[in-house]
């Protein structure tokens, strides 16, 4: 009895004028020809999840062919998510469901994913928060993962509107106690059925053994040791239970320094990673500004002690990189990201095309890509110090838990091929971000506190003895088929030597890949030649020379030299990897940022097209391989075809697997915005192509 | 037709051989061997110069000038860390090589004079049509600069010196004849023409109806030759509406022409009006004929002042007119100049995106693509036939019809199909290549020059980027077309129209670019190509997806070099090779098995140990 109502937009039929009498019965709405019976779409609850409130006859807007239409359904709010239960999901065929997330459906918004909630009142969009006096006709939810949901409440009963809107606002905006976070009830209810393959699992860095393993892997155990003084967080809650310090540092030494108001333990140089040449990446919190001379004195002697240990052989020279003062501020990053994400939170087609004309300048004014570039550049600089100059690098930051995590993990990604495997990458995030004490709760504002105060105590999740589920168990979320999409089909493992040697190989780095450590500066050009060209440069080319030739200052720049030198050679994917950081090379990560925007999807195109060809070919090769193997072993022709990952889906959207298969028609998307003024070229634009008067023809 | 002349073109490209030879040979070589030469190419002079490379700094070298190219080989080895391996700027035995066809030169300037200080502080600055400048410093004594300037001017701009373009001297032989690629009768037959509604006319056999149109035209069956002549009087330069493409199923058509000669007084022409109506009725449609005027409406209005204009509602009741807002050749030229400013020699770093936006280049690309999508959509949806024009119908019109045809007809996405498309919509329909490019002409400020064809190729590249499996050809194919658009080595892009080409006997006296390409097709193939008949491609004309074509516009800058070969492609090629190997292996095994059914297996090791396994998780 419920159908798809056309609710305006594009060239479609205009919706009935919003009258706020919400008793227009669905039957009275102008509906599309096709009458669909509302299916009993059941709400899928996770173990421990509870339904809090709901509303029926909610219309969810769906964008199609630059015209919106609506789908009726139920909007519910649980203690984990907001979910829309409509009939559009039934359209999915089997192939599609295999790629779906098993925990979070297409129309589910987890409470923590909600970024902003807007209400539309008389066609005006307003941010919703707190207690509402008036309830909106339309609810727009912007998500942190950049999805935009629009729900029309015009046909919903008034009391249901009140209940659902205030419910959603309350559960997404009111400050939350840590223990109320859904994961705790989930963890209690759900069984942890994680099957860990001991050989091939993510290193969680929550045991001493894990750190020892990492030390051994990177050969850092020659100069550094893992300590367990903070076991059970008895020394300091902000430090991980286990961590790594320079070997000569006595463990008792550490405890001596507590109890002076500031836990000096915080200012230890903590080891992140060791390079094959022995240089290490370390991090340390910056000392707070102290007034008390006595405390300053203690601080100083503490630091002196540490420096003395580390400046002595066998340790390399330490270069200190103060990220708090010489690098991006967190505020800058935050501001840039909020501007940047706004570019992708698009309510409708008109907005898409309006912003399209000035897209590049909008992108630039967000500074986000520039920030990405600067992060990469900083990581390359540090890589250069360690790789080419054989220096230890000490990252310094107020809490050593934000930019330290960022830079340290980028450096490891560039230098350590292990971090580029999936397991290695997951372990890296555990080590640098989770154990590194990155304040995820604050930075993502999971508890929705408004105060800007940092370093809240007493919310240390690490100390909770709960056996929480880990995100790294992908089987909780995805079918095996979809999990294959987590793998990069281009990745080729390093060829292994035979089994006897494998163990030794595993922890070995690519020594042969390192660049010459000597500073091979370009030899100055021979005297007379140099003079001649200098003259020429000065006399003839004048000011433009800076654009023409790299100035000699730049040549001195170690960074530039290192960078250029690396890029002029062929790449070994199992060695050092430096990203390109030139303007045209830093691009928007389209698959993440554009994935929910229907206008941005290329049907049957994009990178997905080549990747799916690649996957097909891989399966073909694999099945051939199996056939050959079987022939050899059993002399029988095998019959079973290897299942193709993306079979029957020849034409995937460029947004796959986010926008699923051929759900959209093949109509082209046409820009609706006009031409922007050319400015200084206006006179040219008025000219004609050819200067011939046709009048007398 | 292609088989007829194979005996004449039986040897391989000598270019490739000469390149191979130079890359293999040692340090000592005599002069003639130092320069790769095409048959018919002669060495004119050589000079010691300092090449002021914007990326590697000044480099001492010897420059050789032939009647076709400027070739430089550095005399010293470069310091190792500055040595980038760029395929456009070859390095052999640690020396730098520049190999530049003189055709790409648009301007040669002297830098510095006798009064300049420093012994060798003067030189030449050469501006090229392919987004780079070459700067050389020369010794003052012996008039070496004057010599080089004069020789370069003479051979780069042969038209000003009553010399032939190199294409007429080129004696290269290929095993395929590119001139046979396009045969209009065959191409129209492929489209199912002539049919009940469309006929082929020879009215323009000697170019007497329209001197910038091809000899063979497809027009409505119901329009007589006399009708055509009358229509011609009302269309700018007699470029009457003729068929470019017909939809195989719904029979809607794309028709191209020039603007009607409406003028200030708003003249009408019954024959033209009737002719358009006849076109509309060819597929028995009831709806209106859609006219896309490529220009911005203001320009179309302004054109009335010089006798042109557009189809008004009053005169053409059964037509609907839309303007596509694509700017003129002057705007495009200036836009490309700005692109060069931000990419050469150094790439604008700090404000790359806003600089890119300020060139408007991608905006123009967006508008051209948007226009073509509209044309294709109208025709594909069967809603109505489409008539496309701009002012003269040889710039924007060619862009729109050819791009729409590329979207609609998968045939044009193959290598030969694309050659036919270019040959048909651009070369035969009189895109003024000679004027737009300025082949052999020294007047670099000529207002007729404009990168219209480059813009088209850029649009094609954008499409191939968005649909990486839909095109048989790769990026190299598009780049080589652009390189030889300027080089003057082939006759393909010379002259403004078919009649001029016929007068010059271009097909007899020059070699076609398609000979070079088609005799070496493998190099230009896209491994991901999946042939799909009847698939309409609609690119997304959004700035979010349009990109600056770095591998073309910034290819001279070694720092911006993109991963070559593309890792996805490389991996795919590896897998293809592996697949072929396995298939072969499997066949061998089958044979072996059937041969000795009773025998015990002799091979002790499993095949997986004998051959490389796929290095990927499954």
């Amino acid at each position: 009895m419920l159908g798809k109502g056309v609710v305006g937009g594009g060239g479609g039929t205009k919706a009935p004028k919003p009258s706020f009498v919400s008793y227009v019965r669905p039957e009275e709405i102008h509906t599309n020809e096709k009458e669909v019976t509302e299916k009993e779409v059941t709400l899928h609850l996770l173990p421990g999840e509870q339904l809090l409130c709901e509303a029926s006859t909610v219309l969810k807007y769906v964008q199609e062919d630059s015209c919106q239409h609506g789908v009726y359904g139920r909007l519910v709010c649980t203690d984990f998510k907001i979910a829309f239960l409509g009939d559009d999901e039934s359209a999915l065929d089997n192939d599609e469901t295999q790629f779906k997330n098993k925990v979070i459906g297409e129309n589910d918004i987890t409470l923590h994913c909600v970024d902003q909630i807007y209400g539309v009142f008389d066609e005006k969009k307003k941010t919703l928060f707190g207690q509402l006096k008036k309830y909106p006709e339309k609810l727009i939810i912007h998500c942190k993962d950049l999805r935009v949901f629009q729900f029309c409440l015009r046909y919903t009963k008034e009391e249901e509107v009140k209940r659902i809107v205030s419910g959603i606002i309350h559960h997404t905006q009111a400050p939350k106690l840590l223990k109320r976070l859904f994961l705790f009830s989930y963890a209690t209810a759900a069984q942890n059925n994680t099957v860990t393959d001991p050989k091939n699992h993510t290193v969680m860095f929550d045991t001493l053994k894990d750190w020892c393993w990492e030390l051994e892997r990177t050969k850092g155990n020659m100069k550094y040791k893992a300590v367990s003084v903070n076991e059970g967080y008895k020394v300091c809650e902000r430090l991980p239970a286990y961590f790594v310090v320079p070997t000569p540092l006595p463990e008792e030494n550490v405890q001596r320094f507590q109890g002076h108001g500031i836990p000096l333990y915080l200012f230890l140089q903590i080891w992140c990673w060791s390079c094959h040449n022995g240089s290490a990446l370390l991090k340390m919190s910056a000392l707070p500004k102290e007034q008390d001379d006595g405390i300053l004195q203690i601080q100083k002697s503490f630091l002196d002690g540490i420096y003395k240990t580390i400046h002595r052989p066998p340790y390399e020279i330490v270069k200190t990189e103060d990220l708090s003062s010489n690098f991006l501020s967190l505020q800058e990053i935050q501001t840039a990201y909020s501007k940047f994400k706004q570019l992708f939170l698009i309510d409708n087609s008109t907005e898409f095309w309006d912003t399209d004309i000035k897209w590049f300048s909008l992108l630039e004014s967000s500074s986000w890509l520039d920030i990405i570039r600067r992060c990469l550049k900083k990581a390359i600089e540090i890589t250069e110090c360690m790789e080419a100059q054989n220096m230890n690098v000490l990252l310094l930051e107020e809490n050593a838990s934000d930019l330290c995590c960022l830079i340290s993990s980028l450096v490891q990604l560039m230098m350590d091929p292990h971090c580029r495997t999936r397991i290695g990458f997951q372990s890296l995030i555990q080590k640098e971000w989770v154990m590194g004490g990155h304040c995820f709760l604050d930075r993502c504002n999971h508890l929705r506190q408004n105060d800007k105060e940092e370093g809240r105590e007493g919310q240390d999740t690490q100390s909770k003895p709960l056996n929480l589920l880990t995100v790294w168990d992908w089987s909780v979320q995805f079918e095996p088929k979809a999990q294959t999409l987590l793998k990069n089909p281009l990745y080729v493992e390093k060829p292994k030597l035979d089994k006897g040697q494998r163990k030794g190989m595993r922890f070995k780095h690519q020594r042969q890949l390192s660049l010459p450590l000597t500073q091979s500066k370009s030899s100055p050009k021979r005297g007379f030649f140099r003079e001649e060209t200098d003259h020429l440069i000065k006399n003839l080319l004048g000011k433009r020379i800076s654009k023409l030739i790299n100035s000699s200052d730049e040549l001195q720049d170690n960074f530039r030299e290192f960078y250029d030198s690396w890029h002029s050679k062929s790449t070994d994917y199992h060695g050092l990897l430096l990203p390109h950081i030139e303007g045209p090379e830093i691009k928007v990560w389209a698959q993440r940022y554009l994935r929910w925007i229907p206008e941005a999807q290329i049907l049957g195109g994009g990178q997905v097209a080549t990747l799916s060809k690649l996957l097909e070919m891989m399966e073909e090769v694999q099945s051939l391989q199996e056939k050959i193997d079987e022939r050899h072993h059993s002399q029988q022709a095998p019959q079973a075809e290897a299942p193709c990952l993306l079979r029957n889906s020849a034409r995937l959207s460029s947004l796959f697997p986010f926008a699923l298969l051929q759900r959209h028609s093949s109509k082209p998307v046409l820009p609706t915005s006009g031409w922007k003024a050319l400015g200084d070229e206006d006179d040219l634009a008025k000219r004609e192509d050819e200067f011939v008067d046709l009048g007398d023809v | 037709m292609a088989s007829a002349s194979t005996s004449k073109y039986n040897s391989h490209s000598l270019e490739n051989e000469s390149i191979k030879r130079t890359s293999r040979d040692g340090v000592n070589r005599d002069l003639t061997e130092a320069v790769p030469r095409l048959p018919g190419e002669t060495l004119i002079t050589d000079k010691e110069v300092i090449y002021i490379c914007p990326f590697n700094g000044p480099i001492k070298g010897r420059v050789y000038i032939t009647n076709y190219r400027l070739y430089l080989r550095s005399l010293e080895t470069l310091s190792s860390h500055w040595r980038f391996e760029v395929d456009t700027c070859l390095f052999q035995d640690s020396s730098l090589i520049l190999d530049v066809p003189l055709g790409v030169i648009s301007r040669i300037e002297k830098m510095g004079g006798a009064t300049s200080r420093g012994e060798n502080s003067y030189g030449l600055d050469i501006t090229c049509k392919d987004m780079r400048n070459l700067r050389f410093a020369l010794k003052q004594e012996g008039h070496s600069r004057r010599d080089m300037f004069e020789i370069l001017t003479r051979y780069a701009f042969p038209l000003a010196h009553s010399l032939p373009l190199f294409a007429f001297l080129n004696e290269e032989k290929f095993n395929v004849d590119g001139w046979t690629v396009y045969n209009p009768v065959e191409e129209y037959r492929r489209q199912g023409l002539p049919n009940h509604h469309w006929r082929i006319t020879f009215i323009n056999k000697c170019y007497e109806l329209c001197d910038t149109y091809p000899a063979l035209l497809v027009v409505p069956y119901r329009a007589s030759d006399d009708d055509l002549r009358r229509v011609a009087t009302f269309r700018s330069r007699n470029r009457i509406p003729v068929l470019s493409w017909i939809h195989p199923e719904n029979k809607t058509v794309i028709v191209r022409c020039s603007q009607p000669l409406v003028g200030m007084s708003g003249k009408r022409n019954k024959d033209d009006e009737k002719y358009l109506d006849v076109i509309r009725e060819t597929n028995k449609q009831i709806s209106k004929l859609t006219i896309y005027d490529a220009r911005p409406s203001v320009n179309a209005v302004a054109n009335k002042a010089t006798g042109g204009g557009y189809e008004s509602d009053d005169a053409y009741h059964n037509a609907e007119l839309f303007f596509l807002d694509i700017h003129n050749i002057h705007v495009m030229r200036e836009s490309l100049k700005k692109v060069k400013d931000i990419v050469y020699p150094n790439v604008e770093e700090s404000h790359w995106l806003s600089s890119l936006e300020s060139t408007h280049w991608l905006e123009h690309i967006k508008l051209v693509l948007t226009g073509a999508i509209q044309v294709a959509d109208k025709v594909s949806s069967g809603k109505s036939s489409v008539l496309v024009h701009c002012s003269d119908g040889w710039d924007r019109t060619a862009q729109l019809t050819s791009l729409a045809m590329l979207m609609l007809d998968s045939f044009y996405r193959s290598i030969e199909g694309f050659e036919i498309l270019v040959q048909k919509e651009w070369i035969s329909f009189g895109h003024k290549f000679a004027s737009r490019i300025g082949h052999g002409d020294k007047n670099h400020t000529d207002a007729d020059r404009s990168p219209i064809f480059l813009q088209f190729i850029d649009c094609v590249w954008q499409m191939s980027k968005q649909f990486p499996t839909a095109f048989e050809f790769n990026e190299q194919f598009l780049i080589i077309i652009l390189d030889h658009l300027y080089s003057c080595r082939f006759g393909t892009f010379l002259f403004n129209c078919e009649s001029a080409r016929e007068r010059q006997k271009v097909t007899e006296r020059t070699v076609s670019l398609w000979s070079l390409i088609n005799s070496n097709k493998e190099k230009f193939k896209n491994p991901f190509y999946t042939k799909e008949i009847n698939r309409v491609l609609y690119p997304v004309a959004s700035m979010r997806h349009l990109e600056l074509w770095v591998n073309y516009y910034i290819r001279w800058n070694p720092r911006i070099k993109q991963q070559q070969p593309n890792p996805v492609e490389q991996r795919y090629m590896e897998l293809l090779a592996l697949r072929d190997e396995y298939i072969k292996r499997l066949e061998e095994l089958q044979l072996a098995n059937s041969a000795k059914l009773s025998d015990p297996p002799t091979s002790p090791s499993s095949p997986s140990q004998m051959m490389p396994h796929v290095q990927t998780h499954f």
Side-chain angles (χ1 to χ4, degrees), chain A residues 17 28 310 384 636:
Chain A
K17 195 75 190 136
E28 294 170 41
I310 211 150
E384 191 268 331
Q636 271 172 13

Side-chain angles (χ1 to χ4, degrees), chain B residues 43-57:
Chain B
L43 183 68
I44 311 290
T45 188
D46 67 283
K47 295 260 180 274
E48 195 167 301
V49 296
I50 295 162
Y51 167 52
I52 304 166
C53 174
F55 313 110
N56 294 298

Side-chain angles (χ1 to χ4, degrees), chain A residues 358-375:
Chain A
K358 39 189 197 293
W359 177 246
F360 290 124
S361 45
L362 284 172
L363 260 186
E364 188 170 287
S365 66
S366 80
S367 315
W368 180 251
L369 294 183
D370 194 49
I371 281 175
I372 300 296
R373 184 198 340 273
R374 286 168 66 187
C375 292

Side-chain angles (χ1 to χ4, degrees), chain A residues 343 346 352-353 355-361 363-364 369 489-493 520 522 525-526 528-529 532-533 535-536 539-541 546-550 555 560-561 564 568 573 580 582-585 587 594 599-606 609-610 613-614 617-618 620-622 624-625 627-629 631-633 635 651 666-668 670-671 675-676 678 680-681 684-685 687-695 697, chain B residues 50 52 54-55 58 60 79 81-84 112 117 120-122 135 137 236-237 259 261 299 303 306 327-331 334 338 341 345-347 349 351-354 357 360 362-364 366-367 370 373-374 377 392 394 396 432 436 447-448 466-468 528 530 532 535 538 540-545 547 559-561 563 568 571-572 575-576 579 582-583 585-586 589-590 593 607-608 613-618:
Chain A
L343 302 177
I346 286 171
F352 180 87
W353 292 112
T355 49
D356 202 57
I357 329 170
K358 39 189 197 293
W359 177 246
F360 290 124
S361 45
L363 260 186
E364 188 170 287
L369 294 183
L490 299 181
Y491 182 72
V492 179
E493 261 180 82
S520 55
S522 59
K525 312 274 180 195
R526 273 163 287 127
F528 87 100
F529 180 74
E532 282 172 8
T533 49
H535 268 301
L536 181 97
N539 295 340
L540 305 179
L541 308 167
S546 58
K547 274 191 94 180
L548 266 174
I549 296 182
N550 304 289
L555 266 172
R560 201 75 239 185
E561 186 175 325
D564 284 340
S568 65
Y573 293 109
H580 273 285
E582 284 85 4
E585 310 284 7
K587 294 177 200 157
L594 298 175
E599 286 81 7
Q601 89 171 329
I602 306 166
L603 279 162
T610 42
K613 289 272 291 184
L614 193 78
M617 184 55 69
M618 271 168 57
E620 193 181 336
V621 167
Q622 193 205 13
L624 281 168
Q625 205 169 47
K627 274 185 196 166
I628 293 175
D629 285 351
R631 244 173 212 290
H632 260 268
H633 296 310
Q635 307 286 324
R651 247 174 251 170
S666 56
K667 283 286 293 172
L670 279 174
W675 171 257
K676 205 173 58 177
L678 280 171
D680 55 333
E681 276 169 27
L684 263 188
R687 269 166 69 178
E688 277 158 42
D689 283 349
E690 327 282 332
F691 302 96
V692 180
D693 198 327
L694 300 162
V697 178
Chain B
I50 295 162
I52 304 166
F55 313 110
K60 206 168 197 173
S79 61
H81 84 272
W82 280 113
R83 193 172 0 120
F84 291 98
R117 277 181 33 225
N120 275 349
S121 59
Y122 78 161
R135 291 182 167 92
S236 172
R237 298 171 208 272
Q259 63 181 336
L261 298 176
N299 295 55
N303 256 293
T306 51
H327 278 285
N328 64 31
I329 63 166
H330 313 293
V331 171
E334 293 314 306
K338 289 182 183 170
D341 283 344
N346 289 342
V347 174
E349 271 282 297
H351 298 287
W352 166 251
L353 290 171
S354 52
E357 188 171 272
H360 297 293
L362 290 178
E363 267 171 81
H364 296 305
K366 170 179 164 166
L367 281 173
T370 306
I373 293 168
Q374 280 171 268
D377 181 42
D392 288 307
W394 50 43
R396 290 169 269 200
K432 304 208 300 177
R436 297 290 174 256
D448 260 358
Q466 293 194 13
F467 299 100
F528 294 108
T530 316
E532 281 185 272
R535 178 180 173 198
Y538 291 122
V540 177
S542 155
M543 299 311 266
R544 274 109 165 153
H545 284 301
E547 279 179 50
R559 285 216 183 100
I560 313 291
K561 205 174 155 242
Q563 275 184 312
V568 187
R571 183 95 181 96
Y572 193 70
L575 286 169
L576 274 175
R579 183 193 63 175
Y582 282 0
I583 289 174
R585 180 95 194 122
L586 206 60
L589 278 171
Q590 264 158 352
N593 278 346
S608 51
H613 259 239
V614 192
Q615 289 289 339
T616 316
H617 315 274
F618 286 102

Side-chain angles (χ1 to χ4, degrees), chain A residues 536 540, chain B residues 48-53 59 61-63 70-72 98 100 109 111 120 122-126 133-138 145 148 152:
Chain A
L536 181 97
L540 305 179
Chain B
E48 195 167 301
V49 296
I50 295 162
Y51 167 52
I52 304 166
C53 174
I59 297 158
R62 182 166 285 277
V63 70
L70 178 156
Y71 188 85
L72 174 120
L98 266 185
V100 186
E109 284 172 285
M111 304 183 295
N120 275 349
Y122 78 161
L124 291 176
D125 182 1
I126 300 172
N133 275 49
L134 304 171
R135 291 182 167 92
F136 300 102
L138 289 114
R145 180 177 74 167
M148 186 168 163
L152 274 179

